[in-house]
């Protein structure tokens, strides 16, 4: 994911938005396999943005992910959906 590590923050943000648009197009076409691939591209683009803003080691990015996971768990986001 370092190919675009030289991007500015704003250029990388636009890259993420363009990937999100590709997700939306795939979902509109009900092409869920392609949507899943595009979601992977979004994740990779977000990982690159983390790198750009200073979280350059894997351990730093993992620390941020763990913070988010704990926050989301506390909010109940990891619980099964009620039907």
């Amino acid at each position: 994911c370092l190919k675009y590590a030289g991007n500015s923050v704003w250029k990388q943000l636009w890259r993420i938005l363009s990937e999100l648009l590709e997700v939306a197009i795939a979902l509109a076409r009900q092409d869920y396999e392609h949507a899943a691939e595009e979601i992977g591209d979004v994740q990779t683009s977000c990982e690159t943005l983390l790198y750009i803003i200073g979280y350059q080691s894997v351990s730093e990015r993992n620390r941020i992910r763990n913070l988010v996971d704990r926050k989301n768990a506390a909010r109940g986001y990891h619980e099964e959906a009620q039907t």
Side-chain angles (χ1 to χ4, degrees):
C1 73
L2 298 180
K3 180 176 181 179
Y4 298 102
N7 281 354
S8 70
V9 168
W10 300 109
K11 187 172 184 177
Q12 190 60 25
L13 184 59
W14 280 112
R15 184 161 199 75
I16 292 167
L17 292 172
S18 73
E19 295 295 351
L20 281 172
L21 180 59
E22 291 181 28
V23 171
I25 291 168
L27 290 173
R29 295 178 178 157
Q30 297 184 348
D31 186 348
Y32 300 126
E33 181 75 16
H34 187 188
E37 291 176 26
E38 295 301 339
I39 290 167
D41 286 343
V42 171
Q43 291 174 314
T44 299
S45 294
C46 289
E47 187 85 8
T48 300
L49 183 55
L50 282 170
Y51 185 93
I52 290 168
I53 65 172
Y55 297 92
Q56 297 181 345
S57 75
V58 172
S59 63
E60 290 174 314
R61 294 191 300 273
N62 285 339
R63 182 182 64 79
I64 296 300
R65 266 189 290 283
N66 289 334
L67 287 171
V68 172
D69 284 345
R70 284 194 299 272
K71 176 184 69 174
N72 289 342
R75 292 177 176 173
Y77 292 171
H78 297 293
E79 296 172 10
E80 299 229 4
Q82 303 293 320
T83 56

